[in-house]
Amino acid sequence: MKLYEIYEGIRAVSIMSIAEKIVGLKTKLKFRETISDAEWQWLRLTCENQSILSKLSKASNRYISPTTNYADIPFEFLRSGGTCAEAKLFLGEIKRDMDYEAETRILQATDEVMNSEEMAQIAQQQAYVDLQNSYTQATNDNAELVTKLANSATDI
């Protein structure tokens, strides 16, 4: 595949249109409307896209500067900045929920493995090996003690 073929599929989309789409989907979810699987998948992929998150953050900071008086900022700038900030926060919530779900799945899988029959057999084998090692160590300690006693008895 050639470079120009890759870029043919990419079109420039403004960060405001992306933010408005995200906020629109959030509104649908908030009012219990259904969104399609494709839209949900797009949201999940977008919340991990660092480029979009960075652009949303920059856009909200550009539209709303904390050093100015809010009465001096035009309404359209406040609306745009608020939309970008709301979109970024919603993507953060989705990412957090995805992380919680992944962590839960990992813990469940770990519990299943730890409570499996194979792990019980491995633990039993390890206990048997530990018991053999302790017996060997005790036998060696006793043999050394008997040798020392025998040597001290012959020295007398």
Side-chain angles (χ1 to χ4, degrees):
M1 181 174 268
K2 297 180 180 161
L3 191 59
Y4 72 89
E5 292 173 340
I6 294 171
Y7 285 113
E8 281 180 0
I10 299 174
R11 58 188 169 102
V13 179
S14 76
I15 196 64
M16 278 309 302
S17 63
I18 292 173
E20 287 170 354
K21 181 177 180 180
I22 293 168
V23 171
L25 292 173
K26 176 188 176 191
T27 304
K28 279 184 174 182
L29 290 171
K30 182 179 179 181
F31 292 110
R32 307 259 190 245
E33 294 179 32
T34 58
I35 62 172
S36 69
D37 289 339
E39 290 172 328
W40 180 245
Q41 188 62 26
W42 179 82
L43 276 173
R44 291 177 65 132
L45 291 173
T46 304
C47 76
E48 294 180 344
N49 187 335
Q50 294 301 315
S51 174
I52 289 178
L53 293 173
S54 174
K55 288 177 183 177
L56 285 170
S57 181
K58 287 178 186 175
S60 62
N61 289 338
R62 180 180 50 218
Y63 288 121
I64 303 173
S65 177
T67 58
T68 60
N69 184 0
Y70 289 118
D72 296 339
I73 300 174
F75 172 74
E76 188 58 34
F77 278 18
L78 285 174
R79 190 194 70 75
S80 299
T83 301
C84 290
E86 185 178 4
K88 185 174 185 301
L89 288 173
F90 183 59
L91 291 177
E93 290 173 11
I94 293 172
K95 176 69 173 148
R96 185 194 67 227
D97 292 344
M98 285 173 43
D99 290 344
Y100 287 157
E101 288 173 13
E103 184 179 342
T104 301
R105 279 191 234 119
I106 289 171
L107 290 173
Q108 288 172 344
T110 303
D111 287 345
E112 289 173 9
V113 169
M114 293 304 289
N115 294 328
S116 69
E117 185 67 32
E118 292 174 15
M119 285 303 291
Q121 288 177 351
I122 290 171
Q124 186 178 15
Q125 289 172 353
Q126 185 62 41
Y128 182 70
V129 167
D130 290 344
L131 186 61
Q132 283 179 330
N133 289 340
S134 342
Y135 177 75
T136 304
Q137 183 66 34
T139 304
N140 289 341
D141 290 345
N142 288 339
E144 288 176 20
L145 185 59
V146 169
T147 304
K148 286 180 184 177
L149 286 173
N151 286 340
S152 66
T154 54
D155 290 339
I156 299 179

